[in-house]
Amino acid sequence: MPPSPKDSPPLVPLVIVGCGGHGRVVRDIAEAMGRFELIAVADDKFDEMKRMEDGVWQCPVGIVPRVLRMYPGSRLVVAIGGNPVRRAIVERLALPEACYARIVHPGAHVSPRAAVAPGAVVMPGAVVNAGARIGAHAIVNSGAVAEHDATIGAYAHLSPNAAVAGGVEVGEGAHLGIGCAVIPAVAIGEWSVLGAGAAAVCDIPPRVVAVGVPAKARRVLE
Ligand SMILES: CC(C)(COP(=O)(O)OP(=O)(O)OC[C@H]1O[C@@H](n2cnc3c(N)ncnc32)[C@H](O)[C@@H]1OP(=O)(O)O)[C@@H](O)C(=O)NCCC(=O)NCCS
């Protein structure tokens, strides 16, 4: 007998921090998951808490902890595309890890032998294969691939169609541009940026911008 709606688990109230382009994509994904009910969108461009026509609250980021207390069992996700800004917001909120939702599109493949940390977002068409680990608040964008045993650090971002091969280590906050590729077992240093279309064939040091095929560090980041 098919399950009746009364057998479905109750929807989890969700707060999305950030209402830019990335925030709107995350909202679509949360909707597609069918597990969440959006209760609030937070952004520093709002200076007061206000209920919109669709029943969703708009509020400044500073009152997110209060909104979470208003809705028992609620979760949040920081949906801001810039890795350093995303980290700054998470640190400012200083909420326990358990408050964060994992946002995984139903059209992504995530191996049952992979791990996705709270606050991470996995978009449609992405693949996270066996043994891969996606860190807290990381983004695996549309069509990106984290092959077996790859480690994607907290706050890192695999842009659309970026692919990292087996055993690759992507450091905290690193940003891999659209369509770039990383061959097996290479390490991308923390907070480094790999340009769109680059191919990393050897380790990339921390805090550099590297571009090209093969990727070479072009400048150092502050
Ligand atoms: C690599 C990147 C970060 C460099 O940005 P930047 O520091 O502002 O660099 P500039 O645009 O000033 O370009 C500096 C030089 O690098 C070259 N360059 C920039 N991006 C490049 C790339 N992806 N591949 C090869 N060369 C690149 C430029 O042609 C320029 O060369 P020149 O000095 O010989 O004229 C950026 O171009 C990029 O590729 N970002 C990825 C963005 C992305 O994929 N976002 C996805 C969001 S979902």
Side-chain angles (χ1 to χ4, degrees), residues 3-151:
S4 77
K6 73 175 171 44
D7 297 327
S8 326
L11 295 176
V12 174
L14 181 70
V15 177
I16 296 179
V17 179
C19 65
H22 181 61
R24 285 182 285 122
V25 173
V26 169
R27 182 174 181 165
D28 285 354
I29 297 172
E31 231 170 72
M33 290 170 75
R35 288 193 46 217
F36 296 106
E37 180 190 7
L38 182 67
I39 49 158
V41 174
D43 198 291
D44 276 335
K45 76 179 186 188
F46 306 130
D47 32 53
E48 55 172 3
M49 189 165 172
K50 191 165 143 198
R51 200 160 211 166
M52 304 314 290
E53 276 174 16
D54 57 4
V56 174
W57 294 98
Q58 279 185 346
C59 65
V61 175
I63 65 166
V64 164
R66 176 143 65 93
V67 177
L68 294 175
R69 285 195 298 275
M70 280 166 56
Y71 291 86
S74 54
R75 297 283 183 274
L76 84 156
V77 59
V78 178
I80 292 171
N83 297 348
V85 181
R86 196 162 63 258
R87 181 176 71 170
I89 300 273
V90 169
E91 288 180 351
R92 184 175 140 200
L93 287 168
L95 291 161
E97 194 183 75
C99 292
Y100 286 93
R102 294 172 177 82
I103 303 293
V104 178
H105 192 277
H109 169 74
V110 177
S111 163
R113 278 161 288 280
V116 176
V121 172
V122 181
M123 296 205 181
V127 174
V128 179
N129 264 338
R133 294 195 304 277
I134 309 299
H137 314 288
I139 302 169
V140 183
N141 217 309
S142 313
V145 177
E147 255 308 333
H148 65 87
D149 306 306
T151 304

Side-chain angles (χ1 to χ4, degrees), residues 141 157 159-160 175-178 193-198 209-212 218-219:
N141 217 309
H157 180 179
S159 293
H175 181 194
L176 278 55
I178 290 196
V193 175
L194 200 52
V209 177
V211 298
R218 209 175 163 124
R219 68 183 170 90

